Amino acid sequence: MHNFNEIKTLVGLGNPGPTYAYTPHNIGFLILDRLCDDYHGNWSVDHNMLTASVTINEQKMLLIKPQTFMNSSGEILRHLNKRGIKQENIFVIHDEIDFPFGKVSLKQGGSARGHNGLRSLIALGGENFLRLRCGVGRPDNPADVGNFVTAKFKETPDQVDELISKSINIILSHLAYKNQE
């Protein structure tokens, strides 16, 4: 397993545009938006992604929201490679339907498990990256998953805020811990 000390980039998965803004599939975007605000970053358009530079724990960090739609999220890797950012330098934040709403977990490597954003990243760069899996729950009928993750949250704004805050705490703890090694 690769050593994940060198996290340079936080990648939040989601879909661009107001239609998808406040949906389970966009939890990665929502978390990065909060980090960008908290650390005084500004979003700018860079190729097929929105990027913001922030300093977290005295460490420069690039925040990225791919603007390619979920199924093509891996297209950002080409631009990151040109900047010297490799697959093992990214920390991907995404929705996880296999977890109940609010459960959050770190994972290194592994398969996409049906997540098209992860599938795209893995197809174009391998599975060697850190992930924050943010539980959004799942619909009763598996056929409804696509509509479920792209429809507005059924949880209250307070519950969504709590998931965002919990996720950010895990990200910040991980970055601080890795800085001390």
Side-chain angles (χ1 to χ4, degrees), residues 96-117:
E96 178 57 74
I97 64 168
D98 288 335
F99 288 173
F101 186 89
K103 179 181 176 183
V104 182
S105 171
L106 280 173
K107 181 179 181 184
Q108 292 184 0
S111 74
R113 296 185 52 96
H115 193 291
N116 290 332

Side-chain angles (χ1 to χ4, degrees), residues 1-61:
M1 192 48 102
H2 187 277
N3 186 345
F4 285 86
N5 281 349
E6 273 297 315
I7 299 296
K8 297 177 182 174
T9 306
L10 298 174
V11 177
L13 297 186
N15 285 311
T19 307
Y20 301 105
Y22 197 66
T23 64
H25 232 13
N26 275 39
I27 193 68
F29 280 15
L30 294 169
I31 291 165
L32 289 194
D33 285 338
R34 175 88 55 86
L35 277 170
C36 189
D37 288 347
D38 289 354
Y39 290 90
H40 315 294
N42 291 300
W43 292 110
S44 58
V45 178
D46 182 356
H47 295 91
N48 52 3
M49 53 195 170
L50 290 177
T51 65
S53 279
V54 295
T55 301
I56 299 174
N57 300 335
E58 299 173 22
Q59 185 180 353
K60 279 280 226 208
M61 195 63 56

